[in-house]
Amino acid sequence: MTVASAPGKVYLFGEHAVVYGEPAVPCAIERRATVRATKRDDERIRVQANDLSINGFSVEYTEGATEESAEFDVPHPLVEAAVGYVDGAIEQVRDVLDASVGFTVTIESDIPLGAGLGSSAAVVVAAIDAATREVGIELSPEEIADRAYQVEYDVQDGQASRADTFCSAMGGAVRVEGDDCQQIGDTPRLPFVIGYDGGAGDTGELVAGVRSVRETYGFADETVSSIGDLVRTGEAALLDGDLQELGRLMNFNHGLLSALGVSSRSLDSMVWATREAGAMGAKLTGAGGGGCIVALDPSPASGTALQYTPGCESTFRAELAHEGVRVEQP
Ligand code: MEV
């Protein structure tokens, strides 16, 4: 058995616009998906997920998951999504090996599923690393990022950026613009506070929704470009260590994402609760529709305010994860 883990992430700036070639700055956070991969004697894939901040499920199949073969006690769309990502990861491993090997894959994760914290990217990145190492191959984090991106691209019907997978594989704060992916070296300490509404958004649907709004309304195309401008300004603030300016820009970014239709009542409530508590800024993170917001606040005030915000299920502080994918047990 080989065990690897990879971090989740928050978007400081730029989700959705990054799908159209604008830059984005995601930051890896110390919440990890851990994947155990054991090579099997047959070609089957067994996926077990015992702790995904949901009840867990277990699925075994040869080619894709069928309802008959699956036993689960969590909502089907979440299971299908998780299995789709693991399936894609194993396809990548088979491509590396040029052989149809089978694996038992066990997932544990403290990143809520579909909540904007990069759970799927972390699972795919960790699964590719664990399964390739299990058969004696060590891929570079860059190659894992590239292969994990292919998986997200397929699962999200060709509407994915490299941001989530590159960030999870490399760790730290990164900058992604189209195919150009770079790590950002020196960042100030970023006092992230997360608010989670207990819900999830369907990334594929949300990305498709933005695409349709952008195709229908000229303003939406300009909104996407404005997010790109904002990210470029934000990068300079990040390098200057100007947290107040970063917060202001996060607020603008949330407004622009709302204009694209990807916020929700609970996300807006959590954003406003932290702003009123004195956060430097706050925005939704990831695809939106439900899930998490990220606020910048070195004080405990935002966390306390979130605890009393209707619609907020949990809140925690997130530290930047300097390490990306890593082997936990060779
Ligand atoms: C989802 O975490 C981020 C999006 O920008 C989609 C993507 O970049 O693939 C909404």
Side-chain angles (χ1 to χ4, degrees):
M1 180 179 67
T2 308
V3 188
S5 76
K9 56 107 232 304
V10 291
Y11 271 88
L12 193 53
F13 308 115
E15 54 274 85
H16 283 290
V18 69
V19 175
Y20 305 100
E22 299 293 348
V25 180
C27 300
I29 55 166
E30 265 316 335
R31 287 240 149 182
R32 290 188 164 257
T34 302
V35 174
R36 297 177 155 69
T38 308
K39 188 174 173 310
R40 296 171 63 107
D41 294 333
D42 56 25
E43 293 181 7
R44 293 172 72 78
I45 301 171
R46 182 177 175 81
V47 183
Q48 285 169 235
N50 301 322
D51 179 8
L52 290 174
S53 303
I54 50 176
N55 290 335
F57 64 88
S58 159
V59 187
E60 184 166 335
Y61 56 94
T62 311
E63 279 292 318
T66 64
E67 272 193 39
E68 297 79 63
S69 67
E71 340 136 0
F72 26 80
D73 55 1
V74 292
H76 282 202
L78 284 183
V79 173
E80 275 161 22
V83 169
Y85 286 113
V86 174
D87 216 20
I90 299 303
E91 268 317 306
Q92 288 295 323
V93 176
R94 288 173 169 171
D95 183 58
V96 172
L97 292 172
D98 202 15
S100 191
V101 276
F103 292 93
T104 294
V105 175
T106 305
I107 309 166
E108 274 169 40
S109 175
D110 54 11
I111 312 165
L113 269 189
L117 299 183
S119 54
S120 56
V123 166
V124 174
V125 163
I128 293 177
D129 195 32
T132 45
R133 282 176 189 274
E134 171 72 1
V135 290
I137 292 173
E138 198 176 316
L139 300 179
S140 67
E142 287 84 356
E143 177 160 5
I144 294 172
D146 189 49
R147 289 188 172 275
Y149 163 66
Q150 302 303 331
V151 176
E152 288 224 321
Y153 187 86
D154 289 345
V155 176
Q156 288 170 213
D157 287 333
Q159 303 185 100
S161 75
R162 293 181 177 273
D164 290 26
T165 41
F166 183 75
C167 184
S168 183
M170 306 305 290
V174 305
R175 177 192 201 276
V176 172
E177 182 170 6
D179 288 338
D180 181 37
C181 302
Q182 289 171 25
Q183 287 185 286
I184 300 175
D186 280 339
T187 52
R189 193 178 157 266
L190 295 166
F192 291 135
V193 180
I194 311 292
Y196 174 38
D197 69 5
D202 181 323
T203 301
E205 262 175 34
L206 288 151
V207 172
V210 171
R211 179 171 300 271
S212 139
V213 171
R214 188 168 166 266
E215 281 165 3
T216 314
Y217 301 100
F219 85 82
D221 192 27
E222 285 165 29
T223 305
V224 167
S225 310
S226 300
I227 294 177
D229 291 343
L230 180 154
V231 177
R232 282 180 276 272
T233 310
E235 282 176 75
L238 185 62
L239 295 177
D240 288 348
D242 186 346
L243 295 192
Q244 295 291 352
E245 174 73 347
L246 284 179
R248 258 191 306 274
L249 292 164
M250 286 169 75
N251 288 340
F252 289 136
N253 199 164
H254 183 76
L256 294 170
L257 287 165
S258 285
L260 293 174
V262 297
S263 191
S264 70
R265 190 187 181 103
S266 56
L267 294 174
D268 285 346
S269 300
M270 294 190 289
V271 159
W272 276 104
T274 59
R275 286 179 190 164
E276 283 170 5
M280 292 158 167
K283 61 183 277 296
L284 68 84
T285 172
C292 292
I293 64 117
V294 54
L296 216 52
D297 188 353
S299 87
S302 289
T304 307
L306 284 169
Q307 280 169 17
Y308 294 99
T309 303
C312 177
E313 194 182 278
S314 62
T315 174
F316 54 92
R317 200 168 263 294
E319 293 299 324
L320 193 70
H322 294 282
E323 241 186 320
V325 63
R326 70 177 180 224
V327 60
E328 302 285 348
Q329 185 181 310

